[in-house]
Amino acid sequence: MNAFRLFVLGISFLAFGLFFSCSKSEKEASLATGSNEWELVILDSIQVDYLADIREGTFNNGIGLIKDISSRTLVKFDTTGRILLKKEFPQEGPGSVMWLQTLVEHNGEYFGLTSFKDIYHFDKELNIKETLKMPFLGEARGGAYNRKNITVWNEKLLLWYPGRDGVSPYIDHFHRDYALLELFDLKTRNSIPVVRTPSTSKFSGEDFHVSPSISFAIANDSLYLVFSNEPLIHVYSMGDSIQWVRSIDIEASDFKLLHGQKTPVTYQEMIRMYEASVYGIFTDAKNIILTYHGGIDEETFAINELKERENFYRYPEFLKNYLKIYNHGLGWSNPIMIPAKIKLILNIESVEKPFYALRDDDFIGEEHDFLTFYKLQLRRK
């Protein structure tokens, strides 16, 4: 009887082990069927009957919004390219808009960030619904193409807006010693400094580096923040306080950077090469999507005299642009090449949805009196 019981017990343990082994294999097989190998496909293109130097915009729920850098004009259009609304704002006086930069959509309305003081809240018809006043003057100067540096979370705005206590973001070790972002409460109109650079970042140490741009996105109450010239995603949990959780290496094989040094980086040192840059971060419930370029090495930079202003237009000849997807179950995808003729990705709402990007007519050598946007789709291989 004892021998029989031991036999049955052994069979039970074997079955138990096989069950969990099969469950693990089935889970891995299930994840594998959702391949993490992707390609970028151009599905179509649309023409918007407007011509301007566009460096900022977004596209959500079938509606695009772009900003003309040379005027205070906002243009709203649909997936066919039809202009739904075009609005130019005065520079001074009632209803004026100044220094407008990044745009973010929220419930069909828009918030527009500026460098110096105001945050503009536009309604669906692009009327200024309210002008939100920051409690101090901003110290950021200049902007990057469509940098993702403002988002909405729980009726609060999280934004890159340095300048608290008059501190400039261009001083030595700013990113090590000061909070990076502001959390502006839309109800109380108060703002508090939040988010510190974690110890995993190169900007937390004593070495000097080229000052980065900051981009970020929020999904599932997690904040994903990147410095432009660092191949890491810093993850924070959102809540009563915003706490660092971990950092994720983006595993980029092509990401050329200047080494850290013991003295501040001079302009002459900066223009020895062109550093790699993360320039876009997007999220959905299951994925983080990054866009970046790998930079230009010192030898190529010198041979082609790329530090000279008259040769700036040649950068796309030597830069490789990539898109990578981090799936929370599968990890990193393959690096997906972004064609050089794509100038500006407006937004990526989900890896499953088409998205839109501005075509670079200068690069392809065509002149038009309209803007062309590619309709793109990420497709599993």
Side-chain angles (χ1 to χ4, degrees), residues 316-327:
E317 295 177 33
F318 307 101
L319 283 175
K320 291 182 180 179
N321 290 273
Y322 304 93
L323 184 151
K324 285 189 81 173
I325 301 165
Y326 183 83
N327 179 276

Side-chain angles (χ1 to χ4, degrees), residues 5 17 24 27 30 34 38 54 71 99 106 126 149 185 221 229 278 312 331 344-345 351 355 365 375:
R5 284 180 178 175
K24 183 179 179 182
K27 181 179 179 182
S30 176
W38 297 77
I54 303 299
S71 71
W99 312 112
H106 180 61
L126 302 183
N149 55 17
D185 193 311
D221 284 336
N229 52 345
V278 179
F312 285 0
L344 177 71
I345 293 174
V351 297
F355 56 97
K375 180 180 180 181

Side-chain angles (χ1 to χ4, degrees), residues 151-164:
T151 191
V152 184
W153 175 78
N154 282 4
E155 296 306 311
K156 296 179 176 67
L157 294 177
L158 185 66
L159 64 153
W160 160 250
Y161 186 85
R164 181 173 287 275

Side-chain angles (χ1 to χ4, degrees), residues 127-144:
N127 300 307
I128 298 178
K129 190 171 182 178
E130 56 185 338
T131 300
L132 306 171
K133 300 288 185 182
M134 288 295 290
F136 55 89
L137 291 175
E139 291 291 336
R141 299 294 178 262

Side-chain angles (χ1 to χ4, degrees), residues 46-48 56-67 75-82 84 103-106 108-110 146 148 282-283 344-350 353-358 373-376:
I46 60 173
Q47 283 74 48
V48 175
E56 304 286 345
T58 188
F59 203 103
N60 296 81
N61 301 314
I63 302 295
L65 182 69
I66 52 176
K67 180 180 74 70
V75 178
K76 195 174 182 181
F77 61 97
D78 64 15
T79 56
T80 69
R82 180 170 63 97
L84 305 175
L103 296 162
V104 62
E105 183 269 346
H106 180 61
E109 300 183 339
Y110 299 89
N146 220 34
K148 301 301 180 185
F282 314 91
T283 54
L344 177 71
I345 293 174
L346 295 181
N347 189 26
I348 302 176
E349 297 172 87
S350 165
K353 293 181 65 173
F355 56 97
Y356 292 83
L358 179 65
F373 292 87
Y374 290 120
K375 180 180 180 181
L376 305 169

Side-chain angles (χ1 to χ4, degrees), residues 16 25 39 63 77-78 80 113 117 124 135 137-138 164 171 185 190 196 212 225 230 236 240 265 288 347 373:
F16 187 80
S25 297
E39 60 184 348
I63 302 295
F77 61 97
D78 64 15
T80 69
L113 178 63
K117 189 165 186 179
K124 295 179 180 180
L137 291 175
R164 181 173 287 275
I171 64 171
D185 193 311
N190 293 323
R196 305 292 298 219
L225 180 143
E230 181 177 62
Y236 299 77
D240 293 335
V265 183
I288 310 165
N347 189 26
F373 292 87

Side-chain angles (χ1 to χ4, degrees), residues 259-272:
H259 296 297
Q261 54 188 54
K262 299 305 178 184
T263 56
V265 183
T266 66
Y267 176 72
Q268 290 302 318
E269 291 168 326
M270 234 183 286
I271 60 172
R272 291 203 314 263

